[in-house]
Structures are given as structure tokens and as C-alpha cells.
Amino acid sequence: MGDEISLFFFLSLLLLVFSSKTCLCSAAADTISAGQSLTGNQTIVSKGGDFELGFFTPGKSLKHYLGIWFKETHVQNEAVVWVANRDQPIINMSSSELKLLENGNLVILNKSKIPIWSTNSTSTTSKSFELVLGDDGNLVLRDGLNPSVIIWQSFDHPTDTWLPGAKMRYDNRTKKAQKLISWKNSEDPSPGLFSLELKPDIEFVLTWNGSQQYWTSGAWDGESFSQVPEMKTRMFYNYSFVSNENETYLRYYFYVKNVRSRFMIALSGQIKQYMWIEATKEWSQFWSKPIKACDVYRYCGPFSRCNVEDSSCQCLQGFKEQSLEDRNLGDLSGGCVRKTPYNAEQKTISFRCST
Ligand SMILES: *[C@@H]1O[C@H](CO)[C@@H](O)[C@H](O)[C@H]1NC(C)=O
Ligand SMILES: *[C@@H]1O[C@H](CO)[C@@H](O)[C@H](O)[C@H]1NC(C)=O
Ligand SMILES: *[C@@H]1O[C@H](CO)[C@@H](O)[C@H](O)[C@H]1NC(C)=O
Ligand SMILES: *[C@@H]1O[C@H](CO)[C@@H](O)[C@H](O)[C@H]1NC(C)=O
Ligand SMILES: *[C@@H]1O[C@H](CO)[C@@H](O)[C@H](O)[C@H]1NC(C)=O
Ligand SMILES: *[C@@H]1O[C@H](CO)[C@@H](O)[C@H](O)[C@H]1NC(C)=O
Ligand SMILES: *[C@@H]1O[C@H](CO)[C@@H](O)[C@H](O)[C@H]1NC(C)=O
Ligand SMILES: *[C@@H]1O[C@H](CO)[C@@H](O)[C@H](O)[C@H]1NC(C)=O
């Protein structure tokens, strides 16, 4: 564990040196007012230029989504930090729009002007509304006359990414946790099999398909979680932890402001922390749990073996990949199937064994 911590220090220091960014301060709007909308490739950009909100199409997908991404990091898919309609994709982009209605509700309308996604926000007291994309990556729907009144914010509805300043939260009134859920595959942001949540007894857990727990942070001792001792150093991050009768949450911040960083639950089922390295123009992973993908429950799917050396998955003898296409998109959950053809009766039996 000692070695792990010094490696963590070393890497962190190295990354910090190479990750400083310059101001991208942009002239683009960061706000949408009531009655206005975004269509097609129109976007809004946060004041400092870091984040952008708009419609995107992941990879070769035929489906379209509204999302927030790091503007200057060109591998767009990797840098998407939030997806509004992950469950309700837009099939035909033409004439679809994001609109802030006069009543303060933010909606995505399809070509037939039918809302396919909505914030469901209502305010009986506010009369003016605006939508602002902040430099922290938070999309905030607020009272235009009294900006401290927040009606809805994307930080309360995370997808797979936890940004600095956002809460990872357990709501003690609704008894619900705000979960990070992995994408299904690299071209499909709909909910995948892996999720991270904060339990009411103050412990983070990773869960497969909503049932099988495969990693825990251990208990919180006031300074760190027992399985994450490197938190204690607080060298680059500052944490704030709050627990009261309404909610329990953890937030983290960077001491150094000009660092791009994201914490996310990856397709592999691991939680990972990345930093943007300006010098090499790439996202660099410098922390993950479980450290080895092979320790993720069902990482390789059925009839497949995980190679600890390089985290690759190999079909058991006599089996072949269930779907090479899924595998190429980073979804390994299908695992492997028998190579030799079976008659119908035997097929049923082998299917039952694999589930
Ligand atoms: C946005 O789309 C329009 C029309 O499809 C096109 O002319 C324009 O170049 C696009 N702008 C960007 C920045 O891609
Ligand atoms: C999308 O809508 C446009 C405009 O009505 C239409 O021309 C096009 O065929 C539609 N595309 C699909 C894939 O349905
Ligand atoms: C818009 O959404 C509604 C409800 O889901 C659906 O019935 C309709 O076909 C959609 N229209 C288009 C053009 O996609
Ligand atoms: C809005 O309400 C609908 C219907 O209750 C629900 O399906 C949808 O998830 C809600 N949207 C959000 C962003 O919570
Ligand atoms: C996940 O759980 C659901 C039931 O909650 C089940 O129908 C589904 O088959 C499970 N997925 C996998 C890959 O086992
Ligand atoms: C760390 O976070 C706490 C709580 O948000 C804050 O009060 C404190 O000033 C922060 N310390 C530093 C050095 O940023
Ligand atoms: C959460 O709420 C319950 C009542 O619903 C209360 O008994 C419990 O003490 C609360 N938890 C915290 C951490 O305050
Ligand atoms: C808990 O929520 C209630 C109702 O919104 C509020 O009055 C109270 O101040 C909250 N408690 C804390 C500790 O924030």
C-alpha cells in the first residue's frame, strides 16, 4: 500500500506539471433565456470556455443525444460528462430542439414537437427563467431575476461522471442515492451494467446490474475511506463531507484551479480518475478502483477468462465471442458462446446454463 501511495504522489505531481491549461475564454453565449432554443449543431459554451452543451452523435450511432462535454478535448466521446436523454435518444435530428419553455421547463422536442425528455421543473414563485452552463460543467436552470434560486441542475442528475464541485449524494428524505451508471457501450450512453452509489452508512459501493456488489470503499473514518487511504494526503484534492437529517454527500475540489479532471465509471466497471494533459493533448488515467479490471464482477461475461496481465478476455476452449461488434465497442458483457452448432433442444440447455 505504501508503494501505491508514493506512486500516486509521483504521478499526480507529474500530471500537475503538464496539465496546466490556458484560458480559452470564449465569446459564445453561455445562457439560454426563456422561449429560446438550441437546434442542430448550435451549442452554448461556459464563460471560461471549458464546457460545451449541445447535441452529439456518439461514434457511428444513428441516435442523437443532448450532452455536455469538455470543449477542447477532441476525442468527444471520451469527454462527454453528462447526457440528458440517455434513455430517450433522438432518432431524427432534423427539427429536433432543446427549448427552455416560458414556464421554466427545459424540454427536448422531437420533429413532431413532442417532448421526449423534460426536467419536469415547476416553479410557482419565479416569473423569469434562464439556463446557464457554468465553468464547473453544471447546467443550471435558475430564476433570471434572482439567480440564487436554482430550479434544476444537471449536477443533481449525473450520468457516468462526477465532476469537481458536484455532490455524490444520498437523499435521506427520499431514501435514494444519486448513482453514476456506466454507458452501455462506447456509442450508446443508455444505462449499462455497472453503477456507483453512496450508501446511507457512508460507504461507496460498485454494483453489477443493480444487485451484485463487487467493490466497496470501506467505512468513512472522518478523513478517508478505509480502502482508499490515498485520500488522506489531500495533496491536490480537497474534500467536503456533509451528513445531516436530509442528506449525506461528498464533494471534491482541486486546490489548483486550472486543471481539467473527471471521475467516471468506465465501461469496464472500474471507477477512474482522469486528468487532461495539455502537453500531449490526451486524457491520462491516474487512479482506478478496482485497480485491475479482472476484479470487476462478470467483467468478461460468461464462458470467458480474464487475463490479469493485460485485462484481456479470452473465451474458454470451445467457445467464441458472442459479439465482436459489442466487444469492439467496449461492451464485454455478452462473453462467449459455444462454437459448435447445437440442435434446438441442446441450445436451450446451454442458454440456461449461461444465465
Ligand atoms: C452547422 O450546420 C450548418 C448547417 O448544417 C453548417 O453550415 C455549419 O457549417 C455547421 N457549423 C459547424 C460549426 O459545424
Ligand atoms: C428525418 O426528417 C427529414 C425531414 O422531414 C426527412 O427528410 C428524413 O428522411 C428523416 N430521416 C429519417 C432517418 O427518418
Ligand atoms: C416524437 O415522439 C412521439 C412520442 O414518443 C412519437 O410518437 C413520434 O413519432 C415522434 N416523432 C418523430 C418525428 O420522431
Ligand atoms: C420527468 O417525468 C417523467 C414522467 O414522470 C419521467 O419519466 C422522467 O424521467 C422525468 N424527467 C426527469 C429528467 O427527471
Ligand atoms: C440484469 O437484471 C435484470 C433483472 O433485474 C435481468 O432481467 C437481466 O437479464 C440482467 N442482466 C444480465 C446481463 O444478466
Ligand atoms: C476545503 O474545502 C472546505 C469545504 O468546502 C473549505 O471550507 C476549505 O476552505 C477548503 N480548503 C482549501 C484549502 O481549499
Ligand atoms: C435519516 O432519516 C431518518 C428518518 O427518516 C432518521 O432517523 C435518521 O437519523 C436520518 N439520518 C441521518 C444521518 O440524519
Ligand atoms: C432539512 O430540510 C428541511 C426542509 O427543507 C429544512 O427546513 C432544514 O433546514 C434542512 N436541514 C438541514 C440540516 O439542512
Side-chain angles (χ1 to χ4, degrees), residues 56-311:
F56 72 101
T57 308
K60 297 195 184 70
S61 173
L62 299 174
K63 296 172 178 170
H64 315 280
Y65 302 88
L66 178 82
I68 297 172
W69 55 86
F70 280 96
K71 183 169 171 23
E72 290 300 308
T73 63
H74 300 295
V75 204
Q76 191 187 67
N77 253 354
E78 269 191 37
V80 171
V81 297
W82 183 74
V83 181
N85 54 326
R86 72 187 302 188
D87 281 320
Q88 299 93 10
I90 297 165
I91 307 302
N92 192 339
M93 208 34 235
S94 81
S95 317
S96 300
E97 59 180 325
L98 171 73
K99 186 160 193 180
L100 179 55
L101 304 178
E102 303 284 354
N103 69 6
N105 205 357
L106 182 67
V107 295
I108 298 174
L109 302 171
N110 72 7
K111 203 170 143 246
S112 332
K113 301 295 163 214
I114 311 266
I116 58 160
W117 177 89
S118 155
T119 55
N120 299 329
S121 46
T122 47
S123 169
T124 46
T125 48
S126 303
K127 293 193 168 49
S128 160
F129 301 92
E130 63 184 14
L131 182 73
V132 183
L133 180 59
D135 278 329
D136 52 2
N138 191 12
L139 183 66
V140 180
L141 177 53
R142 64 189 188 192
D143 187 324
L145 303 173
N146 185 3
S148 64
V149 177
I150 292 174
I151 295 149
W152 177 93
Q153 56 184 341
S154 62
F155 270 9
D156 290 341
H157 306 269
T159 305
D160 67 343
T161 301
W162 179 25
L163 289 172
K167 294 175 180 176
M168 268 301 282
R169 177 170 178 271
Y170 175 81
D171 188 321
N172 196 36
R173 288 173 299 189
T174 61
K175 306 289 175 206
K176 278 204 176 121
Q178 215 166 268
K179 292 184 185 180
L180 297 186
I181 305 178
S182 61
W183 283 31
K184 190 160 187 320
N185 65 45
S186 60
E187 296 187 351
D188 183 352
S190 69
L193 288 167
F194 305 107
S195 63
L196 175 74
E197 68 180 285
L198 181 62
K199 292 288 188 188
D201 56 356
I202 313 182
E203 185 179 17
F204 279 99
V205 297
L206 280 169
T207 307
W208 178 85
N209 202 20
S211 57
Q212 182 73 35
Q213 191 175 306
Y214 60 90
W215 180 83
T216 162
S217 64
W220 175 255
D221 68 5
E223 259 193 86
S224 70
F225 292 98
S226 64
Q227 300 304 310
V228 196
E230 59 271 34
M231 271 180 90
K232 275 204 171 62
T233 64
R234 280 175 173 55
M235 199 174 191
F236 302 109
Y237 302 102
N238 184 15
Y239 303 91
S240 83
F241 181 76
V242 171
S243 186
N244 59 42
E245 73 259 33
N246 298 332
E247 59 179 355
T248 297
Y249 66 80
L250 186 70
R251 264 198 287 212
Y252 71 101
Y253 298 93
F254 271 96
Y255 296 129
V256 186
K257 286 278 172 262
N258 60 349
V259 168
R260 288 193 196 105
S261 142
R262 61 201 169 90
F263 175 106
M264 51 107 64
I265 181 158
L267 293 178
S268 65
Q270 293 164 288
I271 41 177
K272 295 182 173 182
Q273 182 92 46
Y274 289 92
M275 258 195 225
W276 175 254
I277 312 296
E278 192 59 35
T280 56
K281 302 263 181 235
E282 62 186 10
W283 286 101
S284 175
Q285 177 198 317
F286 73 105
W287 182 91
S288 73
K289 296 283 175 178
I291 294 172
K292 291 198 170 18
C294 292
D295 291 335
V296 171
Y297 180 74
R298 286 243 189 169
Y299 169 66
C300 286
F303 304 115
S304 186
R305 190 190 302 113
C306 196
N307 181 349
V308 186
E309 297 295 313
D310 61 0
S311 300

Side-chain angles (χ1 to χ4, degrees), residues 306-320:
C306 196
N307 181 349
V308 186
E309 297 295 313
D310 61 0
S311 300
S312 65
C313 298
Q314 275 135 24
C315 291
L316 301 184
Q317 200 171 3
F319 291 80
K320 63 174 179 358

